[in-house]
Amino acid sequence: FEELLTFVPYMHRFLSKKRIRHHIFVLNQVDHFRFNRASLINVGFLESGNDTDYIAMHDVDLLPLNEQLDYSFPEAGPFHVASPELHPLYHYKTYVGGILLLTKQHYEMCNGMSNRFWGWGREDDEFYRRIKGAGLQVRRPSGITTGYETFQHLHDPAWRKRDQKRIAAQKQEQFKVDREGGLNNVRYRIESRTALNVAGAPCTVLNILLDCDMSETPWCTFG
């Protein structure tokens, strides 16, 4: 919540200055299952409405500091703003997490993200393989000279520990490509949709109840 109070007004100012029309959707998981970032992004995509033509999959704890970063319509393919050459933590070549822009058409071509990743991590590595499988090329910023100082990372691991446990078959499953699921089978209910104003910046908070097929992904709970 503390990160959100910083993120919403900061990004509203940042994008407004660049004259990019935008709306911030806060995807808040309120069920009793383990955190599922990929399913939440699928829900955000489905609930964002017909007046949006592209999405930014944007972590709440990552703020762009360099105004040269491009957040415009990614017509030529997925545009990875938080490139491995710039992200303060993750530097491997196939990394596409943090901040990724996609047209709605391209996200649908990938069938969104896999819903099988409960707990922290790996879902964006699987999504990289989906992007490639859809015949799309990931593009990244060029001419940015601020290196690892390009973003501010707000996450404090001492205050907000991430659920990185791998339970039972999840250890093997996390490296597989999910060829069946994604946008087509995300199971959820919107508990509430609230329009908020954070320090003058508008956003919509979606309180989301995800559902889990225990026979398919028993690791959605701690057992």
Side-chain angles (χ1 to χ4, degrees):
F1 184 69
E2 295 88 346
E3 292 164 0
L4 193 64
L5 292 180
T6 301
F7 177 86
V8 172
Y10 184 92
M11 287 309 303
H12 180 61
R13 285 194 304 270
F14 185 90
L15 295 171
S16 297
K17 196 170 183 181
K18 295 173 76 65
R19 298 189 176 182
I20 290 175
R21 291 180 62 206
H22 60 277
H23 189 81
I24 297 171
F25 288 88
V26 179
L27 311 174
N28 186 37
Q29 185 177 341
V30 295
D31 52 67
H32 297 293
F33 296 114
R34 299 170 70 199
F35 179 61
N36 191 324
R37 176 178 176 268
S39 288
L40 292 174
I41 292 171
N42 283 339
V43 173
F45 177 91
L46 293 169
E47 296 291 328
S48 61
N50 293 328
D51 57 343
T52 56
D53 52 5
Y54 68 112
I55 64 167
M57 298 155 54
H58 208 304
D59 287 356
V60 72
D61 59 8
L62 202 60
L63 301 181
L65 300 177
N66 189 325
E67 291 183 3
Q68 291 180 301
L69 289 168
D70 187 5
Y71 273 75
S72 61
F73 184 71
E75 186 172 6
F79 187 73
H80 187 212
V81 180
S83 138
E85 293 83 22
L86 306 176
H87 194 286
L89 292 182
Y90 304 115
H91 306 144
Y92 56 97
K93 288 182 180 178
T94 58
Y95 177 65
V96 289
I99 309 164
L100 182 68
L101 313 182
L102 293 99
T103 68
K104 286 199 149 181
Q105 178 190 10
H106 288 158
Y107 195 75
E108 286 174 338
M109 283 169 62
C110 298
N111 190 23
M113 301 185 81
S114 171
N115 301 302
R116 298 179 68 83
F117 291 83
W118 300 88
W120 188 264
R122 299 290 184 195
E123 78 290 327
D124 47 1
D125 295 333
E126 199 270 354
F127 190 58
Y128 177 82
R129 293 159 80 179
R130 286 179 176 236
I131 291 170
K132 291 294 185 184
L136 300 170
Q137 291 295 319
V138 176
R139 296 162 49 252
R140 292 190 163 112
S142 60
I144 303 293
T145 58
T146 41
Y148 298 148
E149 305 296 317
T150 303
F151 300 95
Q152 181 182 358
H153 192 243
L154 296 174
H155 190 86
D156 182 349
W159 282 95
R160 280 175 283 282
K161 296 187 188 310
R162 288 171 173 163
D163 165 19
Q164 295 179 316
K165 290 184 173 64
R166 297 291 178 259
I167 298 169
Q170 187 180 16
K171 292 174 184 174
Q172 289 74 44
E173 287 276 335
Q174 65 182 337
F175 297 108
K176 294 180 181 177
V177 176
D178 175 9
R179 302 193 186 281
E180 304 297 324
L183 268 180
N184 63 318
N185 70 346
V186 61
R187 293 162 44 171
Y188 73 97
R189 183 163 59 83
I190 301 296
E191 183 185 70
S192 63
R193 178 188 289 257
T194 307
L196 275 189
N197 196 294
V198 183
C203 67
T204 299
V205 178
L206 300 179
N207 281 339
I208 300 164
L209 292 155
L210 296 177
D211 193 12
C212 168
D213 183 340
M214 294 293 291
S215 64
E216 280 290 315
T217 55
W219 53 85
C220 61
T221 70
F222 285 112

